[in-house]
Amino acid sequence: MCANWAHSTRLRILTYLAGLVLALLVLAWVLLARNLPEASTLLEYETPLPTVVRGIDGEIVHSYARERRVQLQYADFPKPLIEAFLAAEDKTFFSHGGVDLFGTLNAVFDYATKFGSGERAVGGSTITQQVAKNLLLSDEYSVTRKLKEMILARRIEQVMTKPEILELYLNEIPLGRRSFGVQAASRAYFDKDVADLELSEAAFLAILPKAPERYGRARYQDMAIERRNFVLDQMVANGFATPSAAAEAKSRPLGLVQQRTERSADAGYFLEEVRRQLIEQFGETAEDGQDSVYAGGLWVRTSLDTEMQDAARDALRAGLLRYHGNRPWTKPIATLNPDNGDLTSQLASSNLSISYRDWRVGVVTEAGSGATIGFSDGETASLSGAPAAVKVGDVVAAESSGNGYRLRTVPEVSGAFLAQSPQTGRIMAMQGGFDSRLGSFNRATQALRQPGSTIKPFVYAAGLDHGMTPASQVPDQTFCFWQGANLGEKCFRNFGGGGGGTHTMRWGLEQSRNLMTVHIAMEAGMPQVTKTFAQVGIGQYDNYPSFALGAGDTTVEKMVNAYAALANWGRQYAPSVIDYVQDRRGKVIWRSDQRQCDSCNMPEWDGSPMPRFEPGGKQVMDPRTAFQVVHMLQGVITRGTAVRLRDLNLPLFGKTGTTSGPTNAWFVGGSPDIVAGTYIGYDQPRNLGGWVQGGNTAAPIFKQFVEETRDRWTADDFVAPPGVRMVKIDRRSGKRVFAGSPSDDPQAAVIWEAFKPDTEPPRATRTDELAARRNEILELLRRARQGARQNAPPVAAAPRAQPQPAVIEEAVAAD
């Protein structure tokens, strides 16, 4: 050997060349492999998954996803689907070690023949190599990337089993229509689960990795069928399918369904609030953490009640349309600039839409007598009923009419509605405007509005805590307040004017008397009043009397939550839309109820009393005061400003509100189990019209909501907490009576009233009883005379009856 080496120049050259090639290969291997990611990381790899949202009943109502992804285990993939992908992509998958030598040589030869032509060569990648490229490398088209891919494929085969690799591949492969993985693609293309796929459909999915955005389009249908049939032939050649089964599958059309939006409850404002809170808590993308909203695969249980949500949406919309009436079209939903390109494409990018009857959102493409409208799907049609003010680029609502569309008006006025459980704080329904598809601004949680008279119950609560009672006499008289040298004197008046005399606190709340409210606020002290506002979460206000009449800003959510505290004996829970959050494996990683019960999970009973949770929430008001206010607010429904709700025949409490202008119309109230609130007003506050009041504009919205969810409202009345005494009083004078019984008559003279111990009024004196009875009999006689004058012939006037002292005395005695 040494002699040959010494005398053979050729041998030495070949040896040096071989050594050089080997050294270059080692160097290339080191350079390519040294910075490659570890294949073992795939053992801990977690597929980015969307967040799934469930409602109060556990049913799926929405998902937060920018891509369609569903993760399955290997056992969940049907055998024909696996075999279709093997036939199309890697028929030797279960026998090679990560790299198919013959496939690689074929790819090298194809690359050499196409070099410089600009045409892309076949890949020749095995399924393992595709996993390496998709999860560990980029999609760069180069020889070095292919070499890195081969190195990683060999490493992957050393740390993962074949089923594990195939499971990862079938869950991650991009297949078009924003779908990653075969289950998501099966839903996107066929609206089926993978277990329900036909052989022809499984073969179609297997062709998608080559060109997912081409084969899924209608104009490439012939190419897709040809490629699908090729895969079916390969399945027969590899023994995966019989010739007859393949022939039958070839005879079938593709059968693709149209692309559709994900199924979701019509609760955009509610679901957006959930999304906002989740992002704040867990982050938005995978870079923000393993439990992010768009990659973490969270399962979220919410308090959304779809029945109540639909009723809230319909009731608010009906109220807005009722107010809008026959007002003409005023302005577009939005405006697009024709100079920025095709208007329908701009509309599609805006994501503006509407879900009301058969209305559609479109953009005006031609104005004038021959007006036309275009829609986001490219459809165009004639537009009738468009006023001269409509311009090209205006985004409007339209309804199908004849061969075209007719302009429809989304009410310019807006508002909000929110319903909550007072025992838990869970928000069951939330509607923040006419339609969340027209804009994400949520007026239930974000709009700062003056609450008007709906704030008065908390002024009265401050008065009750200051020693007043529902029977206390309060002046209904002008009150002026000196604001200082710069502002001068401020005088208050009742809504609609009028006033005079003194009346019970109950009457003042039922009739929403501004002057009485200010007198109560002054009696209790404005610092105590604003402290009460802050305690129940309405807002932080200065100690000015105008805030006692609702001049400060707050939200529907805060007002409903404050009323929920009233209905729950003064115990208030923070409003919540999320009950708890689970990670992708089902572990609870966050819950709204943070109470602990350490003894609940003990392995064996230790003989002690059953462990119980401590009461949740926060006590923000004396339970007795809360009940007294609720009891008075029931009178608002019975005979006060919300009397139109009386025929619901339910134990309800509530309060209307109308702010100066009027610019806002409110109603907040409910039952022991459900509290809801609503307002109507322009986003930029302006006069709603002199006829508008909370009782005739907002209360009907609440009424419709109750009527549409009647099965959810019980006849159970409010229960008094310990320490409350129910005493019979004269409703007008507020004095205690012992004779007579309260009745269901809304105008009954004798009613039950709620008092704290030792605050109930003394029994009426004999003089008071005689005076009250005398006034009552005189009122009866006055009515009798009026009736006689109306019924008697004109020539025969009825004689005036004179009451006899003996009769009066007898009536009093009988009482």
Side-chain angles (χ1 to χ4, degrees):
M1 181 68 180
C2 292
N4 292 335
W5 174 264
H7 296 90
S8 176
T9 303
R10 184 176 182 182
L11 177 62
R12 291 196 302 271
I13 293 174
L14 290 175
T15 302
Y16 290 144
L17 287 175
L20 179 62
V21 170
L22 181 61
L24 290 174
L25 288 175
V26 171
L27 179 63
W29 181 274
V30 171
L31 292 175
L32 291 173
R34 63 177 180 175
N35 293 324
L36 288 180
E38 293 293 332
S40 58
T41 59
L42 292 179
L43 295 173
E44 301 176 356
Y45 176 79
E46 292 186 330
T47 301
L49 293 176
T51 290
V52 179
V53 182
R54 298 182 183 272
I56 198 170
D57 57 359
E59 293 294 321
I60 294 176
V61 295
H62 191 65
S63 66
Y64 302 117
R66 290 171 180 153
E67 300 167 344
R68 291 186 175 98
R69 290 182 182 268
V70 181
Q71 187 174 23
L72 300 180
Q73 295 181 343
Y74 182 76
D76 298 324
F77 299 114
K79 187 177 180 181
L81 179 66
I82 294 175
E83 293 172 339
F85 273 86
L86 293 179
E89 295 293 316
D90 189 359
K91 62 183 179 182
T92 62
F93 171 74
F94 282 99
S95 60
H96 65 62
V99 179
D100 182 357
L101 181 60
F102 291 105
T104 301
L105 292 175
N106 179 59
V108 171
F109 176 78
D110 191 59
Y111 179 82
T113 58
K114 294 177 179 177
F115 183 78
S117 66
E119 186 178 352
R120 187 159 183 158
V122 297
S125 295
T126 63
I127 284 178
T128 311
Q129 287 176 261
Q130 292 183 56
V131 169
K133 180 189 71 173
N134 292 334
L135 301 183
L136 299 177
L137 298 172
S138 67
D139 196 28
E140 175 192 1
Y141 180 60
S142 67
V143 174
T144 55
R145 194 268 295 166
K146 181 64 69 174
L147 293 173
K148 291 178 180 180
E149 184 182 291
M150 295 169 67
I151 296 171
L152 279 175
R154 295 287 298 172
R155 293 179 177 180
I156 291 172
E157 292 278 349
Q158 294 171 3
V159 297
M160 298 182 72
T161 65
K162 291 288 187 178
E164 288 175 337
I165 296 170
L166 200 53
E167 176 184 314
L168 201 55
Y169 172 78
L170 293 175
N171 278 324
E172 288 294 323
I173 187 72
L175 297 175
R177 294 195 179 183
R178 297 189 301 112
S179 301
F180 289 77
V182 293
Q183 170 63 19
S186 180
R187 274 289 172 190
Y189 289 100
F190 301 110
D191 199 23
K192 292 181 178 180
D193 294 323
V194 290
D196 301 324
L197 290 174
E198 304 288 342
L199 180 61
S200 62
E201 296 166 338
F204 171 80
L205 294 183
I207 74 173
L208 292 174
K210 294 295 184 186
E213 298 303 331
R214 175 184 297 175
Y215 292 136
R217 297 179 183 272
R219 59 179 171 172
Y220 298 116
Q221 178 175 316
D222 293 340
M223 294 176 58
I225 292 176
E226 181 182 353
R227 177 67 182 171
R228 180 201 66 180
N229 293 346
F230 169 77
V231 171
L232 289 169
D233 289 337
Q234 290 298 305
M235 293 183 72
V236 174
N238 287 279
F240 296 150
T242 63
S244 59
E248 194 276 334
K250 288 181 182 180
S251 66
R252 291 176 175 259
L254 291 181
L256 306 184
V257 299
Q258 292 184 347
Q259 293 195 50
R260 60 189 66 186
T261 57
E262 298 294 329
R263 289 182 286 269
S264 175
D266 191 5
Y269 294 105
F270 188 104
L271 295 170
E272 177 58 23
E273 179 65 18
V274 172
R275 189 185 77 95
R276 184 190 65 78
Q277 293 187 17
L278 288 173
I279 290 176
E280 183 178 337
Q281 182 77 16
F282 301 104
E284 185 172 359
T285 62
E287 290 73 19
D288 299 319
Q290 63 179 4
D291 296 319
S292 64
V293 173
Y294 287 99
L298 304 178
W299 290 85
V300 182
R301 176 63 72 91
T302 71
S303 55
L304 176 65
D305 187 311
T306 53
E307 179 188 357
M308 288 195 169
Q309 177 62 41
D310 290 346
R313 176 201 63 207
D314 293 344
L316 181 62
R317 285 179 175 175
L320 298 177
L321 290 167
R322 189 163 47 243
Y323 172 82
H324 181 79
N326 295 320
R327 290 177 174 82
W329 184 87
T330 54
K331 67 178 185 178
I333 297 169
T335 302
L336 303 177
N337 188 349
D339 296 335
N340 293 336
D342 182 68
L343 287 171
T344 56
S345 298
Q346 290 186 57
L347 179 65
S349 301
S350 72
N351 293 321
L352 291 172
S353 63
I354 194 170
S355 178
Y356 177 71
R357 296 183 179 175
D358 59 349
W359 291 16
R360 298 178 68 182
V361 168
V363 58
V364 177
T365 53
E366 290 186 29
S369 57
T372 58
I373 187 171
F375 300 101
S376 57
D377 59 2
E379 178 188 353
T380 59
S382 61
L383 180 65
S384 60
V390 173
K391 305 183 300 296
V392 173
D394 284 347
V395 178
V396 298
E399 183 178 26
S400 178
S401 176
N403 296 325
Y405 283 81
R406 177 174 292 276
L407 185 71
R408 288 290 177 257
T409 303
V410 176
E412 186 180 359
V413 72
S414 197
F417 189 101
L418 187 143
Q420 180 181 353
S421 166
Q423 284 83 25
T424 61
R426 301 166 84 193
I427 296 173
M428 298 175 287
M430 179 191 297
Q431 187 71 12
F434 193 87
D435 196 316
S436 62
R437 300 164 188 84
L438 300 175
S440 61
F441 182 65
N442 189 344
R443 295 161 187 83
T445 59
Q446 295 175 295
L448 295 174
R449 313 293 298 199
Q450 292 183 342
S453 295
T454 57
I455 208 170
K456 289 179 180 176
F458 303 97
V459 179
Y460 282 63
L464 293 170
D465 285 337
H466 188 68
M468 303 179 75
T469 75
S472 295
Q473 293 289 321
V474 181
D476 186 23
Q477 299 166 5
T478 301
F479 182 89
C480 293
F481 179 78
W482 179 253
Q483 302 179 99
N486 293 330
L487 299 177
E489 189 176 54
K490 168 71 174 178
C491 291
F492 297 90
R493 64 179 181 86
N494 287 318
F495 183 85
T502 59
H503 304 275
T504 63
M505 176 186 274
R506 165 180 284 277
W507 185 87
L509 188 55
E510 290 177 352
Q511 302 304 318
S512 195
R513 308 298 284 181
N514 289 349
L515 294 177
M516 294 179 67
T517 304
V518 174
H519 278 284
I520 292 171
M522 293 299 100
E523 176 71 20
M526 277 307 299
Q528 182 63 35
V529 171
T530 55
K531 180 182 177 182
T532 301
F533 294 163
Q535 285 177 332
V536 298
I538 294 175
Q540 301 281 346
Y541 305 128
D542 293 327
N543 299 322
Y544 296 121
S546 57
F547 289 118
L549 300 179
D553 289 334
T554 189
T555 66
V556 174
E557 180 185 48
K558 291 178 179 179
M559 289 304 301
V560 171
N561 199 44
Y563 274 70
L566 293 176
N568 196 39
W569 289 2
R571 181 167 290 274
Q572 188 179 56
Y573 291 83
S576 65
V577 292
I578 301 173
D579 292 344
Y580 58 85
V581 180
Q582 297 168 282
D583 65 15
R584 64 175 67 211
R585 295 174 183 82
K587 179 183 177 181
V588 176
I589 57 177
W590 184 89
R591 56 191 176 97
S592 62
D593 188 348
Q594 298 293 331
R595 292 177 297 168
Q596 299 296 323
C597 184
D598 297 330
S599 301
C600 291
N601 295 322
M602 65 174 62
E604 294 183 5
W605 180 47
D606 60 1
S608 302
M610 179 184 295
R612 297 183 184 277
F613 285 106
E614 292 294 325
K618 180 181 179 182
Q619 195 70 43
V620 296
M621 186 181 295
D622 186 327
R624 301 168 301 174
T625 298
F627 180 79
Q628 286 180 299
V629 174
V630 167
H631 196 243
M632 288 190 287
L633 289 175
Q634 287 185 280
V636 175
I637 308 296
T638 304
R639 55 188 159 265
T641 57
V643 69
R644 67 176 59 236
L645 303 179
R646 189 171 68 198
D647 59 6
L648 289 172
N649 294 317
L650 288 170
L652 299 175
F653 81 113
K655 184 72 185 73
T656 59
T658 312
T659 59
S660 297
T663 56
N664 300 282
W666 285 75
F667 177 83
V668 187
S671 72
D673 302 315
I674 303 170
V675 175
T678 184
Y679 89 88
I680 281 185
Y682 290 100
D683 286 343
Q684 297 298 322
R686 67 174 192 257
N687 198 310
L688 291 168
W691 58 274
V692 170
Q693 296 181 29
N696 60 28
T697 304
I701 297 174
F702 175 85
K703 185 174 185 179
Q704 179 177 332
F705 173 75
V706 174
E707 290 172 339
E708 293 187 8
T709 58
R710 187 59 185 254
D711 59 320
R712 312 295 293 278
W713 300 75
T714 68
D716 297 335
D717 207 344
F718 294 90
V719 177
V724 170
R725 300 188 61 183
M726 301 303 295
V727 176
K728 289 189 295 184
I729 68 167
D730 180 85
R731 180 171 60 85
R732 294 181 179 85
S733 68
K735 294 183 177 181
R736 188 172 184 177
V737 297
F738 288 87
S741 298
S743 68
D744 294 333
D745 180 5
Q747 302 301 327
V750 179
I751 63 170
W752 290 109
E753 193 58 273
F755 294 93
K756 298 172 185 174
D758 300 325
T759 65
E760 58 267 28
R763 180 176 182 177
T765 63
R766 182 70 172 171
T767 303
D768 292 332
E769 291 180 354
L770 289 174
R773 180 56 63 189
R774 183 180 299 108
N775 291 335
E776 185 176 342
I777 292 176
L778 290 174
E779 177 64 19
L780 291 172
L781 292 174
R782 184 184 63 80
R783 292 180 182 177
R785 287 198 301 272
Q786 289 177 344
R789 285 197 297 269
Q790 292 173 357
N791 298 326
V795 296
R800 181 174 299 178
Q802 298 294 331
Q804 299 297 321
V807 175
I808 296 175
E809 188 65 29
E810 182 180 356
V812 172
D815 192 37

